[in-house]
Amino acid sequence: MIFLASFLAYLGMLFFSFSLEKHYKQISNKTINKKIKYFVKALGTIFLSLSLYIFIQVLAYSLAITYWLGLLSIVAIFIAFIYSYKPQHIIKISVSLLVLTGIINLI
């Protein structure tokens, strides 16, 4: 379950990054309108909330929040590296992480 929560945290942070004009243009080569911006922010909030909920279900409250905040820091750095070096591969990396998370959760 921790791997699923980690992937949801990654998705949440990724959607928040998509709500920025600069990052949205790197992925889609279009400008972002207000509706898409709010929708992507809402998705980011939902995924981050689900991630925190799963962490709290698995661990005690204090440990869950601490681990979750630490994970968000790591995820933010990972996403920053992707945008810096291979922004065109961010969808492929995300799908690969989804498949890896699914395999790990089945084991």
Side-chain angles (χ1 to χ4, degrees):
M1 289 299 273
I2 295 293
F3 291 107
L4 176 63
S6 301
F7 181 71
L8 290 173
Y10 167 77
L11 276 181
M13 294 295 280
L14 189 65
F15 279 122
F16 273 125
S17 73
F18 285 163
S19 70
L20 298 173
E21 182 82 28
K22 175 184 174 184
H23 297 308
Y24 190 80
K25 277 186 179 180
Q26 283 182 313
I27 302 304
S28 68
N29 295 325
K30 299 180 213 172
T31 59
I32 189 168
N33 62 29
K34 280 189 174 187
K35 288 181 183 180
I36 293 175
K37 189 175 194 175
Y38 291 131
F39 178 70
V40 170
K41 280 185 180 181
L43 280 178
T45 304
I46 290 168
F47 285 130
L48 286 175
S49 299
L50 285 173
S51 172
L52 179 60
Y53 177 76
I54 292 172
F55 266 101
I56 289 173
Q57 294 301 311
V58 173
L59 303 168
Y61 284 106
S62 59
L63 281 177
I65 293 170
T66 304
Y67 287 170
W68 184 71
L69 289 172
L71 177 69
L72 291 183
S73 302
I74 294 168
V75 166
I77 292 169
F78 180 68
I79 290 173
F81 279 132
I82 294 173
Y83 276 123
S84 296
Y85 295 107
K86 298 285 185 182
Q88 65 275 13
H89 296 301
I90 202 159
I91 303 298
K92 292 176 188 174
I93 292 169
S94 298
V95 171
S96 300
L97 286 174
L98 174 65
V99 170
L100 183 63
T101 301
I103 291 170
I104 290 173
N105 279 329
L106 289 176
I107 294 177

